[in-house]
């Protein structure tokens, strides 16, 4: 019979148990802070939209929506070209990695300035073809784009270095500065798209400057282009994924608008906004916290560690989207009536189908994370091409057959195709990696498989 443990042994066991519990508690804490930060970021965007609608009406809001859409594409591209590759390679895994963080900032500033120049040219072209409101929106956003990109970069540095509290602090500075600027606009009664976008940009400028202080680096352009070139073998597929995903969404909107008219499109957008807002906030929070953890787990424990992390992220995503879907399924009619009015209550089934599509989409979280962490990013672009084809076919056939309900059903078809394709590609990627390519514990990064990716050797507001 085993002897009872001595008091000293009991103390040692308690210390070991505490040491095992601390990392788990730490992960939970980081996830909680990330969710709060994502909620604050989403709330800021919502507040800007409401402020514009109340200050200057639907015309200005329409122009600002276009500017917002351009910013969201720019944000997705800078993450694909800079922050996601940095996360995969572990560049900023240590909060004190000043040199790598400064290189990333240099790349971001180059992208921001280049994007600002493109926006200015597009805005000028729109003015020439008598699209004054849209042209002004592009022109006034152009000088602020580098600040907005830099502020978003600091958020991701916080996630990469496992310090989401720094990302949250930066967003607090952003929202506070933006709020003060909007208050000044309200007091001075200066209502124009230029002033409103400038108030938004002031928040980005404040966050960008605060990020320099947070991470003790200076703005520079040196090594920015070198970083972009070094990571191009990885980032080009992520950038292609961003472009195709945005194209698929725009095609979906155009097809629905053509087939169902503006009323049908408006009803679908109302139902979609109600469901997608809270669900995507939780999904994006999971991705922000999950990819740095997944990359680190793969470096330390190979596929076994990676799949453990991605499995947790997928489970949390399913829990979040499943909860939202359940609420929509039971109370969707009442919520639609409360938010939009009684004329939208009949969209209950439409909202429920969109929610089911998001539940299916959340099953992609883990496999997508695995493809990024193992640098098989070209497979992600392949998946988006499949999604584009399925979107074109399903939205046409189902909208013609079932109207707005069919258009919502098309999102379920797209999600099913994406989930199946993503799982298959992840398994293919895992089989393609030879056994000796598994990283060893303590390794700084996973070696590249030359059969999958050429090597140079490190995911709106």
């Amino acid at each position: 019979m085993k002897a009872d443990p001595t008091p000293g042994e009991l103390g040692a066991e308690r210390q070991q148990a505490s040491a095992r519990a601390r990392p788990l508690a730490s992960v939970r804490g980081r996830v909680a802070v990330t969710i709060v930060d994502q909620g604050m970021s989403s709330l800021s965007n919502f507040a800007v939209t409401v402020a514009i609608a109340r200050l200057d009406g639907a015309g200005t809001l329409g122009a600002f929506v276009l500017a917002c859409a351009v910013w969201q594409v720019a944000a997705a591209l800078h993450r694909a070209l800079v922050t996601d590759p940095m996360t995969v390679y572990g560049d900023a895994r240590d909060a004190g990695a000043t040199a790598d963080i400064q290189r990333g900032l240099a790349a971001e500033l180059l992208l921001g300035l280049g994007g600002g120049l493109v926006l200015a040219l597009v805005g000028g072209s729109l003015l020439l073809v008598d699209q004054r409101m849209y042209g002004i929106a592009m022109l006034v956003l152009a000088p602020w784009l580098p600040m907005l990109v830099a502020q978003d970069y600091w958020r991701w540095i916080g996630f990469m270095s496992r310090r989401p509290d720094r990302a949250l602090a930066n967003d607090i500075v952003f929202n506070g500065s933006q709020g003060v600027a909007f208050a000044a606009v309200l007091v001075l009664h200066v209502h124009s798209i230029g002033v409103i976008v400038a108030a938004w940009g002031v928040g980005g400028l404040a966050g960008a400057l605060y990020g320099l202080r947070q991470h003790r680096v200076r703005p520079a352009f040196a090594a920015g282009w070198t970083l972009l070139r070094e990571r191009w073998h990885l980032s080009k597929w992520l950038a292609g994924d961003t472009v195709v995903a945005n194209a698929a969404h725009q095609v979906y909107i155009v097809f629905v608008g053509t087939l169902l008219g503006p009323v049908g499109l408006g009803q679908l957008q109302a139902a979609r906004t109600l469901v997608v807002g809270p669900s995507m906030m939780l999904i994006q929070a999971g991705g922000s916290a999950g990819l740095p953890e997944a990359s680190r787990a793969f470096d330390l424990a190979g596929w076994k560690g990676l799949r453990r992390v991605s499995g947790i992220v997928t489970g949390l995503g399913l829990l979040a989207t499943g909860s939202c879907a359940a609420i929509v399924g039971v109370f969707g009619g009442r919520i639609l009536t409360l938010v939009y009015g009684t004329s939208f209550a009949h969209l209950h089934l439409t909202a429920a189908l969109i929610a089911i599509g998001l539940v299916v989409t959340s099953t992609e979280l883990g496999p997508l994370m695995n493809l990024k962490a193992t640098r098989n990013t070209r497979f992600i672009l392949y998946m988006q091409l499949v999604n584009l084809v399925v979107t074109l076919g399903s939205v046409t056939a189902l909208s013609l057959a079932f109207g707005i309900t069919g258009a919502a059903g098309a999102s379920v078809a797209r999600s099913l195709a994406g989930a199946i394709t993503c799982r298959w590609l992840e398994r293919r990627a895992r089989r393609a990696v030879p056994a000796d390519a598994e990283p060893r514990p303590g390794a700084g990064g996973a070696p590249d498989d030359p059969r999958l990716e050429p090597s140079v050797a490190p995911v709106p507001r």
Side-chain angles (χ1 to χ4, degrees), residues 178-215:
Q178 177 182 261
V180 170
F182 270 118
V185 170
L186 186 62
V187 170
L188 296 174
H189 298 285
V190 183
H191 301 167
S192 73
I193 183 66
V195 174
I196 290 170
V197 170
W200 183 33
V202 165
L205 175 61
L209 294 175
Y210 181 62
L212 296 175
R213 180 181 181 278
Q214 276 184 306
H215 300 278

